[in-house]
Every structure is written in structure tokens, then in C-alpha cells.
Amino acid sequence: MSKAIQRAEEARKVTAGAAKPYPFWLGGLAASFAGTVTHPLDLTKVRLQTGEDKRMVQSFRRTVNNFGIRGLYDGLTGTLLRQMTYSLMRFAAYDYFKSQLHDGPGPAPIWKLAAAGSCAGGLAGMVGNPAELIMVRMQADRGKPPAERYNYRNAIQGLYRMAQQEGVASWYRGLVPNGVRSVLMNASQLGSYDWFKHRILDLKVFEDGPIVHFLSSLGAGTVATTVCSPADVIKSRIMNAHDQTGLLKVIRDSVAKEGPGVFFKGWLPAWIRLQPNTILIFLTLEQLKRGVDKYRHAGGTWL
């Protein structure tokens, strides 16, 4: 076979590999890895939002002093369940909606990216709400007085106990604020990541690689933290409540006691948590996609 024919065949394989969708579970796998690494920061953020601690370092130290280093991983099973439901769905749905909204040449405009992210976020928020709720309860548990703790052994047992004691409908407590947050998160994080990536590549300073992915993630994490902070605070307070406190009552009571700034309470730990989480997710996801591409180009057919 001549070199020209070989090059044509390689180009055909690359094009075919790029056109074929990636496995739907890649996003969940990347998010699970990132969530495990950043879990202590997420736990601290939730305890700041739902407890009496005022500063991130204070909350971090209290957890370590009272429960040791292992205490920083309270609720890890809830985090992993959340990533393999909510995150798996949002990445898979985002790719689908993006392909449906834009099939022309060149990158999609920002409004289409935001729309795809919003649709994916709404769907993922519904699918992942039970795991989100159990994760918040498990993370916040040791920050509360012993008499008020849920003491779930793991996420599955926690969901089972909730169904027994509070009914299956309890799995969808906080669905509205969580759904709003999910829409905002995915529109701002997924959409802005693609937007930043296209803009950076347009500068022709860096090739598509880890540097571009890192810078794009940095921008996406900052945008997402700011946009999602109010909904995130409300969601955590509703999900952590023992009674059937409604959305409007939580907002009214929070503003009355702590002022409008309450909606950005925990912004710094949220940003510190979301930035490495966002960076790890997208760096891992991009590498997983490249691994799939190499596998396909080598003739693999399972992925």
C-alpha cells in the first residue's frame, strides 16, 4: 500500500473516530475521580453553609480535631453516588443537546452552549437529586449536635432509611433549588468551558492540550461558582433541614437573620473546591477522550 493511501486511510479512521460519540459514562468517571480528590473541600463548604462555623480554616480544623483526617471524608459514598448519577447524566446529556442544537461548521455560539448546558442540568438535577440530598446530609452530619445527626452508614443505607422513615417522596426534597442550581451550574460551567476553550484556541498561542484545558477550566470554575452560589446555599439549607421547611421560608429567614450576603456565604471555599474539581474533571475527561480516540484508531471496537 502506498504512503498516500496509508495517509488517506489514517485520515478516514480519525474522522470516523471523531464522529462517533464517546462512551456516555466518561463524564461520570472523570467526575468521580475529581470528587474524591476534592471531597474535604466540598464537605467544609457544606458545613459552612449549614452550620455555625464562619471561616473555612476554622471548620477544617474542627473536623480534623474532632474526627481525625478520616473525618474529612465523611459522606464519600454519597459523593461517589452523586457523581455516577448527576454528573454522568449531565455530561452525556450536554453532548447530546449540543449536537442537536449545532451541526454547522465552526464552534457553537455561546447561547447554544448555555442552552445545551441548561437542558442537561435540568435533566441531571432530577436524576441526581436523591444522591445530592444524601450527600449533603452525610457531609453536614458531624457538624451538628449528636441528637440531631442522621448517622447513615453509607449512601445506599441512607436512602433506604429515608424511604422507610420519611417516604420515597423525601428523596426529592429540595428539588426546585437543586434543579435551579443544576441548570445554572451546567449552563455556566459546561458552556463557559467550551467557550473559553474555543477563544483560547483562536489566539493560536497554544495547541489543544493540557494548558488550554487548564485555562479553560479556571475560567469556567470562576463563572460557575459566582452564578451558582445563591442556589447552592438555599439548596443545602433545605436538604439539611429536619422539618418540611419551604423554599420561600428558607430564603426569608436566611435574609432576615444574616442579610443578603447570606447567598454568597461559603463562596471562597466553594470557589476553592470548585476550581480544582473543575480542573480535574475536564483534564481527566479530555485525557479519557484521547485514550478512547487512540483505542479506536488502533482498531478497537468495544468503546
Side-chain angles (χ1 to χ4, degrees), residues 56-210:
M56 180 178 67
V57 175
Q58 175 193 20
S59 180
F60 197 89
R61 285 179 175 173
R62 177 180 293 184
T63 298
V64 173
N65 290 339
N66 292 340
F67 308 108
I69 297 296
R70 291 185 61 182
L72 295 174
Y73 285 89
D74 284 345
L76 180 59
T77 59
T79 293
L80 293 176
L81 181 62
R82 174 184 182 269
Q83 302 303 353
M84 291 307 293
T85 52
Y86 164 75
S87 290
L88 186 152
M89 177 59 71
R90 73 186 182 113
F91 278 103
Y94 176 69
D95 287 340
Y96 171 77
F97 286 121
K98 186 168 62 173
S99 68
Q100 295 299 306
L101 290 171
H102 184 76
D103 59 358
I110 185 64
W111 72 267
K112 287 187 177 181
L113 297 175
S118 297
C119 293
L123 183 59
M126 290 187 289
V127 171
N129 199 80
E132 182 87 25
L133 191 150
I134 207 69
M135 180 192 74
V136 169
R137 285 192 174 188
M138 292 179 73
Q139 288 179 348
D141 219 27
R142 283 185 171 177
K144 298 184 294 187
E148 298 179 10
R149 295 175 186 171
Y150 294 104
N151 295 316
Y152 299 140
R153 291 197 303 271
N154 55 62
I156 302 301
Q157 188 256 1
L159 288 174
Y160 177 73
R161 276 183 51 190
M162 282 187 66
Q164 275 193 322
Q165 299 169 4
E166 304 172 52
V168 174
S170 67
W171 289 358
Y172 290 92
R173 289 195 62 194
L175 179 62
V176 172
N178 187 44
V180 171
R181 177 191 175 277
S182 183
V183 169
L184 295 174
M185 170 62 74
N186 288 281
S188 58
Q189 187 189 56
L190 300 184
S192 65
Y193 174 82
D194 277 347
W195 185 86
F196 279 116
K197 183 178 177 181
H198 293 319
R199 298 291 80 76
I200 294 171
L201 289 174
D202 285 344
L203 297 175
K204 301 186 185 303
V205 177
F206 305 108
E207 294 183 355
D208 189 3

Side-chain angles (χ1 to χ4, degrees), residues 6-38:
Q6 285 181 334
R7 285 195 295 269
E9 180 64 17
E10 289 175 0
R12 185 193 65 76
K13 289 182 178 180
V14 169
T15 302
K20 184 180 179 181
Y22 290 102
F24 71 93
W25 43 264
L26 287 188
L29 188 61
S32 294
F33 170 72
T36 300
V37 174
T38 61

